[in-house]
Amino acid sequence: NRIKKNPSAPFTPRTVMIGGKAAPGYYMAKQIIKLFNRVGTVVNSDPTVGDKLKVVFLTNYRVTLAEKIMPAADLSEQISTAGTEASGTGNMKFMLNGGLTIGTLDGANVEMAEEMGNENIFIFGMTVDDVEVVQAKGYNAYDYYNNCPELKQVIDMIKDGFFTPGNENEFKDVVDLLLGNDRFLTLADYKSYIAAQDEVSATYNNTSKWAEMAIHNIASSGKFSSDRTIAEYAREIWGIEPDYKKLPHPHEDGSKETSPE
């Protein structure tokens, strides 16, 4: 919408990729994937937008595809609401490959920020404590919807069928969830997310700063070695001391095989 409103303004070009799979019975996840693809169809064919923005869904996202995407990515988005996401390892792999992270203080983002320093990661959104305050007060999505014209425009475009000509109700359930019983409090983080993305664009245009941050990411990723993780599990969970002796090859035990004759 910003590009359409002012096509001559200086925008940092982006290609946004998302990969994911939905369980057979997970209706809302399927709708979100479908919506992303519908948005991509509209954005990618808009001559005004042109090469300033492209939207790509990574079909059948898996390890072999991640091996190609992660070393090439400039920015990793880890945007789950604070306190809701189990700690995965994808963000660590982007970090190891020099990709910067925009994310909330959730999951492994917290440990990553501790290792690299907050100045080398784009943190946005509520903390766990903030989330608890909002929940205690009573989350009302319309407070955010009505007080942010840019956000309201986005929701209305989905609701009014801008991305689904001829079937304006296709994503009614998505809109109803966002404005209704959304346990992830998505709209509460919107303004902070957009502000962080503006910071990302400004930093990307400062190549020396971006390179410095990428180097700090790579240099700080040692803690997330699987060797350290397994050793910690051994000591703290299994109650055994790790042994770093190299095991012999299973087919080379030092003895010579004798002939049956």
Side-chain angles (χ1 to χ4, degrees), residues 38-107:
R38 292 283 189 271
V39 171
T41 298
V42 173
V43 170
N44 296 340
S45 60
D46 191 313
T48 303
V49 175
D51 292 333
K52 295 187 177 87
L53 179 64
K54 294 297 180 186
V55 177
V56 179
F57 180 74
L58 301 171
T59 305
N60 193 21
Y61 185 70
R62 59 205 185 280
V63 171
T64 50
L65 183 54
E67 288 173 343
K68 295 179 174 66
I69 296 298
M70 288 180 171
D74 292 308
L75 185 70
S76 162
E77 301 211 21
Q78 306 293 331
I79 59 177
S80 54
T81 305
T84 65
E85 180 72 14
S87 181
T89 60
N91 44 3
M92 304 172 196
K93 293 165 188 169
F94 282 108
M95 176 188 181
L96 177 61
N97 281 279
L100 304 190
T101 298
I102 180 171
T104 54
L105 283 173
D106 192 40

Side-chain angles (χ1 to χ4, degrees), residues 2 14 77 79 102 122-125 148 150-151 154 186-202:
R2 291 183 179 182
R14 296 205 189 196
E77 301 211 21
I79 59 177
I102 180 171
F122 301 99
I123 294 294
F124 75 93
C148 179
E150 191 173 67
L151 171 60
V154 171
T186 305
L187 303 194
D189 274 344
Y190 178 82
K191 275 189 176 181
S192 180
Y193 171 72
I194 295 300
Q197 286 286 13
D198 289 340
E199 185 184 354
V200 168
S201 294

Side-chain angles (χ1 to χ4, degrees), residues 29 45 79 88 139-140 157 173-174 176 186 198 212 240 243 249:
S45 60
I79 59 177
Y139 173 69
N140 184 354
M157 289 171 74
D173 292 338
V174 175
D176 288 347
T186 305
D198 289 340
E212 178 185 336
I240 59 174
D243 188 338
H249 191 284

Side-chain angles (χ1 to χ4, degrees), residues 84-204:
T84 65
E85 180 72 14
S87 181
T89 60
N91 44 3
M92 304 172 196
K93 293 165 188 169
F94 282 108
M95 176 188 181
L96 177 61
N97 281 279
L100 304 190
T101 298
I102 180 171
T104 54
L105 283 173
D106 192 40
N109 294 347
V110 177
E111 292 179 272
M112 288 164 54
E114 289 172 351
E115 293 300 306
M116 72 176 78
N118 284 338
E119 67 276 12
N120 294 304
I121 186 172
F122 301 99
I123 294 294
F124 75 93
M126 298 179 288
T127 64
V128 172
D129 290 341
D130 294 332
V131 169
E132 291 175 354
V133 169
V134 171
Q135 289 173 330
K137 179 183 175 182
Y139 173 69
N140 184 354
Y142 280 95
D143 290 342
Y144 305 94
Y145 171 79
N146 290 321
N147 290 310
C148 179
E150 191 173 67
L151 171 60
K152 185 176 186 300
Q153 182 183 12
V154 171
I155 299 294
D156 288 348
M157 289 171 74
I158 300 172
K159 181 175 65 176
D160 297 337
F162 180 84
F163 301 106
T164 53
N167 188 5
E168 65 179 36
N169 291 320
E170 186 167 359
F171 297 110
K172 180 180 182 299
D173 292 338
V174 175
V175 173
D176 288 347
L177 178 63
L178 288 172
L179 295 177
N181 187 29
D182 176 18
R183 67 186 181 92
F184 294 106
L185 319 179
T186 305
L187 303 194
D189 274 344
Y190 178 82
K191 275 189 176 181
S192 180
Y193 171 72
I194 295 300
Q197 286 286 13
D198 289 340
E199 185 184 354
V200 168
S201 294
T203 306
Y204 186 79

